[in-house]
Amino acid sequence: MITSLVNRGGRAGVRRGERVADVETASGGRLSSDPMELLRRFDEFRSWAAGLAGDVFTDAVDESALGPPVPAPQKVFGVGLNYTDHAEEAGLELPTEPLIFTKFPSCLVGPRADVVLTSNRVDYEVELVAVVGEGGRNIAEKDALARLAGYCVGQDISDRRMQFAGKPPQFSMGKSVDTFGPIGPGVVALDSLADPNDLALSCAVSGEVRQEARTSLMVFAVPELVAWLSRHCTLVPGDLIFTGTPAGVGSVREPRRYLASGDTITSTIESLGTMVNRCVPGEA
Ligand code: ZN
């Protein structure tokens, strides 16, 4: 059974299956209650968590009460056009090096949080999110996965009206509105995964599957993204990389299919879990 780091009301929890325990309590105070502090010492957390007996997990998981497992990262990177089929559906050429934008950390919410629709052109994008562990600068591709704490599921919600209001488009604001960054349910260490470079991911809107792909189809795989980013920025524990979305987003469908109030967005990645986010109307 997979063990993960979750955020329960701002306190770090350790989850195994459908059971969870408070990290600080279960460790007798040896480990911090702060999820960000645990990401700075993730190897210690992971080896402690792996050795826990089943009876330590005292509580049933309440998914609706989970916050973003990484609540306050220093940096949140997004990657544009990182799946061939998505670039094709958008009618855009594949980038020759990673196309990076920012999501401001204030957009992050938990795996069951509501997404506030700011216009009638808000769109979904299921994405694998890489969570930096040790991080560093000038990381070689072969060392990149070892510098991560793990992965979680993410939604790169985008207001296409704001994103494409002018030329050139403004990605960062259109993707950084409050609630536009659901992540979760927890951070799963990469050694829990059979192949961290090949995971099935999917997104359904109100039960209709809209996106279905594998992370092995990325243009720039996670190790390449980590190496490229770390040539320019120092990566620190908790930094997030939204690694891009596959084909099937609403804005390039015929006819277009944007999110509507009352829709539920169900985002699943193999071995990492599922998020369910409900769309609610924004203030007029
Ligand atoms: Zn995206």
Side-chain angles (χ1 to χ4, degrees), residues 79 101 125 127 156 175 244-245:
V79 185
F101 59 89
E125 298 188 350
E127 307 201 1
D156 177 19
K175 291 165 171 281
T245 201

Side-chain angles (χ1 to χ4, degrees), residues 78-81 86 101 103 125-127 156 158 160 175 242-245:
V79 185
L81 303 178
H86 175 55
F101 59 89
K103 285 176 81 74
E125 298 188 350
V126 65
E127 307 201 1
D156 177 19
S158 311
R160 305 299 188 196
K175 291 165 171 281
F242 279 69
T243 58
T245 201

Side-chain angles (χ1 to χ4, degrees), residues 217-236:
L217 299 173
M218 285 181 193
V219 176
F220 301 101
V222 172
E224 293 175 86
L225 294 173
V226 169
W228 191 91
L229 288 168
S230 74
R231 283 211 296 278
H232 306 288
C233 299
T234 302
L235 300 182
V236 301

